[in-house]
Amino acid sequence: MDLNDTPEQAAYREQVRAWLEEHKSEAPVLEGPDALPEDQVVDAHRAWQRKLAEAGLAGATWPKEYGGQGFGPIEQVIISQEIARARVPGILDVIGVGMLGPTIIAHGSEDQKSRYLGPMLHGDEVWCQLFSEPAAGSDLAGIQTRAKQEDGGWRLTGQKVWTTNAQFSAYGLILARTDADVPKHKGLTMFVLPMDAEGVTVRGLRQITGDAEFNEVFLDDVKLDDDMVVGQVGNGWGTALTTLMFERVTIGFGSEGLGYRPQRFAEAIAGDEAAVRDGDVRQRLGHITTELLAVRFTSYRMLSALQQGQIPGPEAGLSKITTVNASIAACDLVADALGPDALREDTDSQLSYHTSFLPGLKSAGGTEEILRNTIGERVLGLPPEPRLDKGIPFSELRAKEKEAAAR
Ligand SMILES: Cc1cc2nc3c(=O)[nH]c(=O)nc-3n(C[C@H](O)[C@H](O)[C@H](O)COP(=O)(O)OP(=O)(O)OC[C@H]3O[C@@H](n4cnc5c(N)ncnc54)[C@H](O)[C@@H]3O)c2cc1C
């Protein structure tokens, strides 16, 4: 593919760059010594998302009728690249605008689209993704949160975990089991959950980074009306797959999308003369840079597929594994080269944060082992994992598992 901008793309890039140049002083400072205090971050970031949305720089790939620009993925990448270049934050609600909004666009009713999408895009209502549970992460279809039908509605009981942004979300998309007497993928339904509904309790989990980005969410007999079902009752797995596909694309743009650029690590070392002269340091940095550059070009391949209307394949998984491992190696390298100075909190390199955040990213959006399994099966054509759950009703699975373990 031609990696240069077409004249139209170059003109669009200029337009985005000019807007950011004019407005970047209004962006919240989230990193470094001048960072906003924690209690002001959400409101300031929300206000910034509103400005980006009004300028057409949030949800640019959403259809125009729902507030987007109807652009293809290349314009979205141009926006992300220019935001990174201007060194300002992107939107606050990456999960809502990047993954849950597109799910509602694909599966929601017209009422749901007109009620929820506008406030989501403008950051007025932030959304969270309530999929994972204490005993169902990689095996997402094994969730145990139950939704029981009653007159004109549903009652939800169960627990979710690792729910990013639940502490300030207005709504969530929640996956629940509505029928335990069919195989596990078939008895699921997706709902909109108002986070202030009676019976919803959010409890924060503080990470080793010091931040508390994600939460446990407890659901105690929460009442939901019928119009909160997204897609069809019993088709929650199909709806969830749409979210997961957008999640893969959001994460899969690799080092660029996540901000792990090779220059960032090279700059951290460049100021230390002894480290720059050290052949071992230079070799390690060269290796890491090669990996991250390979991710960049893989993501261009993915972009090219998306632009042609194809669904990206396992490249997204490969990009994610490579980005996370190369970035962990880069943080280790900077720490080896600079010693404790690498982790000083008062620098704007954010290395301390990344060093402690990256191990978690190994799990987020699909663990390395699960992605490697997918790549093994779908790319290399290796035999699939043995499965005990095919065709067996969810309610009988535990007994079958016990039976198999006893054999
Ligand atoms: C930063 C972060 C943010 C997150 N945000 C959200 C969110 O907003 N909403 C949400 O719903 N979830 C969220 N998650 C949860 C995330 O989706 C899960 O962590 C992920 O799906 C893995 O599930 P688990 O943690 O239960 O691990 P498990 O599935 O229990 O896996 C534990 C270990 O066993 C391995 N393993 C499991 N099955 C297999 C297998 N078949 N073969 C080989 N190895 C296997 C895994 O690779 C892993 O190493 C977030 C996680 C993180 C770290």
Side-chain angles (χ1 to χ4, degrees):
M1 71 183 285
D2 183 357
L3 299 177
N4 296 310
D5 286 342
T6 63
E8 294 77 28
Q9 287 160 359
Y12 182 62
R13 188 183 290 283
E14 272 312 307
Q15 190 188 319
V16 174
R17 193 172 290 182
W19 187 91
L20 286 166
E21 200 50 47
E22 191 185 336
H23 293 274
K24 71 179 178 192
S25 60
E26 299 157 35
V29 179
L30 305 180
E31 299 184 358
D34 302 326
L36 283 171
E38 198 175 327
D39 60 350
Q40 293 176 25
V41 164
V42 172
D43 283 346
H45 205 165
R46 196 193 278 276
W48 177 238
Q49 175 168 333
R50 198 171 301 128
K51 284 187 181 140
L52 290 170
E54 280 161 7
L57 302 180
T61 55
W62 285 21
K64 284 193 170 163
E65 57 193 301
Y66 305 125
Q69 303 300 310
F71 282 150
I74 290 188
E75 285 78 6
Q76 178 60 60
V77 168
I78 290 175
I79 295 171
S80 304
Q81 287 174 340
E82 291 304 315
I83 283 177
R85 184 181 177 277
R87 294 185 181 249
V88 293
I91 58 172
L92 168 68
D93 191 8
V94 174
I95 293 176
V97 175
M99 296 150 51
L100 307 181
T103 306
I104 291 175
I105 291 171
H107 299 277
S109 66
E110 283 313 312
D111 282 352
Q112 287 169 344
K113 291 177 199 174
S114 60
R115 163 62 188 86
Y116 298 121
L117 294 172
M120 179 194 284
L121 191 67
H122 289 81
D124 296 331
E125 290 169 348
V126 173
W127 282 63
C128 60
Q129 177 194 11
L130 296 136
F131 286 16
S132 305
E133 296 186 0
S138 302
D139 180 23
L140 181 59
I143 57 156
Q144 297 186 37
T145 292
R146 297 290 173 98
K148 277 198 187 144
Q149 199 154 23
E150 59 166 42
D151 292 341
W154 300 82
R155 291 273 181 187
L156 263 69
T157 302
Q159 188 200 335
K160 298 289 171 177
V161 75
W162 314 129
T163 319
T164 307
N165 297 347
Q167 72 276 30
F168 51 80
S169 286
Y171 291 97
L173 269 194
I174 183 162
L175 190 62
R177 186 165 304 282
T178 42
D179 186 351
D181 296 324
V182 291
K184 63 180 183 180
H185 293 87
K186 297 201 168 148
L188 304 173
T189 302
M190 190 75 78
F191 296 89
V192 171
L193 176 73
M195 295 304 287
D196 61 358
E198 203 176 321
V200 176
T201 307
V202 177
R203 198 179 293 161
L205 292 168
R206 195 159 287 277
Q207 299 144 253
I208 194 172
T209 55
D211 292 340
E213 291 166 349
F214 46 50
N215 305 268
E216 297 175 293
V217 178
F218 298 89
L219 304 140
D220 189 7
D221 208 23
V222 178
K223 181 161 179 5
L224 289 182
D225 291 337
D226 257 338
D227 59 6
M228 295 307 216
V229 171
V230 179
Q232 305 297 314
V233 172
N235 190 35
W237 187 245
T239 312
L241 285 182
T242 301
T243 311
L244 298 178
M245 189 189 80
F246 281 103
E247 180 172 40
R248 228 172 285 153
V249 173
T250 305
I251 298 183
F253 274 110
S255 52
E256 305 285 318
L258 298 169
Y260 299 115
R261 290 177 297 280
Q263 293 88 329
R264 175 174 217 160
F265 303 114
E267 279 165 17
I269 291 173
D272 187 298
E273 233 179 89
V276 172
R277 274 204 307 270
D278 184 330
D280 180 50
V281 169
R282 289 208 309 272
Q283 242 180 34
R284 282 167 68 188
L285 186 62
H287 183 72
I288 291 161
T289 303
T290 315
E291 298 265 295
L292 291 175
L293 286 178
V295 172
R296 180 180 298 171
F297 289 105
T298 303
S299 63
Y300 288 154
R301 267 209 331 256
M302 208 157 75
L303 195 59
S304 167
L306 276 172
Q307 191 73 3
Q308 289 159 22
Q310 297 161 7
I311 294 176
E315 306 93 304
L318 282 169
S319 287
K320 192 213 150 187
I321 294 172
T322 312
T323 299
V324 173
N325 286 338
S327 303
I328 289 175
C331 287
D332 287 351
L333 170 62
V334 180
D336 286 350
L338 307 186
D341 275 355
L343 301 181
R344 269 187 19 222
E345 299 265 350
D346 58 343
T347 66
D348 63 4
S349 68
Q350 284 272 294
L351 273 167
S352 158
Y353 174 82
H354 290 303
T355 304
S356 46
F357 179 72
L358 277 161
L361 208 51
K362 272 184 164 238
S363 295
T367 70
E368 177 160 349
E369 290 78 6
I370 295 297
L371 293 171
R372 284 188 187 276
N373 276 352
T374 311
I375 293 159
E377 289 170 24
R378 306 239 181 101
V379 181
L380 304 175
L382 296 174
E385 289 265 291
R387 283 183 53 184
L388 292 171
D389 55 6
K390 254 193 168 160
I392 304 204
F394 182 75
S395 52
E396 292 170 25
L397 270 184
R398 191 57 62 80
K400 292 274 175 204
E401 279 164 11
K402 278 193 184 151
E403 215 176 89
R407 260 190 254 131

